[in-house]
Amino acid sequence: MPMQAQEIEDLIRETFPDAQITITDLAGDGNHYAAEIVDASFKGKNRVQQQRAVYAALKGKMDGSHGELHALALTTKAPAE
Amino acid sequence: MTDAIETAKGQIQDTVTANDVVLFMKGTKTMPQCGFSSRVAGVLNYMSVDYADVNVLADEGIRQGIKDFSDWPTIPQLYIKGEFVGGCDIVTEMTLSGELDTMLDENGITFDKDAADKIREANG
């Protein structure tokens, strides 16, 4: 069951209400997206910690074998000072 | 299934402890079966990094166990000296920024520096 870009943004927004979120549809098949998230909560965290938080926000949608999303290219950043 | 995952986690721990560099991937370093796995394996191959490849498609317990082990939902997963480094996006970013070179150096892992530079030049 493919996902819509808006669904992904809403899910991420639930955990990161103030974040700047940009979702790009890479293939038009509801399965391959890129997401860029800029949020203050990432400050001081390394990439793995930042992206773990985003995957947690997606609540299992990213689990490959039975998850809806096969590919989500993630870019996470803290806002520039 | 859960005990299969528990035993898999033990095997995973042993593998990442016994090998300096481990790539859990779909397929093998010479026959990757997924674009993301292929990209990370390709970088490591091109940079002549000596690493152990683990084909998660060959063992469902490992395929699920690795996701719990690292609290990371996707494959591939790169480990250096037992530490989870990242998936395809992070390893690509680290390769282009030079952080991967630094991490390999800091851990005394040999690799082809010229090849790393060529990757960065090619991705301008």
Side-chain angles (χ1 to χ4, degrees), chain A residues 64-80:
Chain A
S65 49
H66 53 271
E68 284 77 354
L69 261 178
H70 174 65
L72 179 65
L74 274 183
T75 311
T76 50
K77 277 183 262 180

Side-chain angles (χ1 to χ4, degrees), chain B residues 48-68:
Chain B
S48 310
V49 174
D50 181 23
Y51 67 101
D53 55 341
V54 178
N55 180 3
V56 302
L57 298 178
D59 181 330
E60 191 56 29
I62 299 270
R63 181 174 185 172
Q64 291 313 317
I66 191 66
K67 295 176 184 178
D68 298 347

Side-chain angles (χ1 to χ4, degrees), chain B residues 91-105:
Chain B
V91 173
T92 303
E93 269 181 67
M94 289 176 71
T95 305
L96 297 178
S97 69
E99 285 167 274
L100 186 61
D101 299 32
T102 313
M103 192 172 216
L104 292 169
D105 277 333

Side-chain angles (χ1 to χ4, degrees), chain B residues 27-46:
Chain B
T28 63
K29 62 171 82 174
T30 48
M31 267 236 312
Q33 289 172 269
C34 161
F36 302 108
S37 292
S38 169
R39 180 188 291 185
V40 178
V43 165
L44 296 175
N45 295 342
Y46 189 72

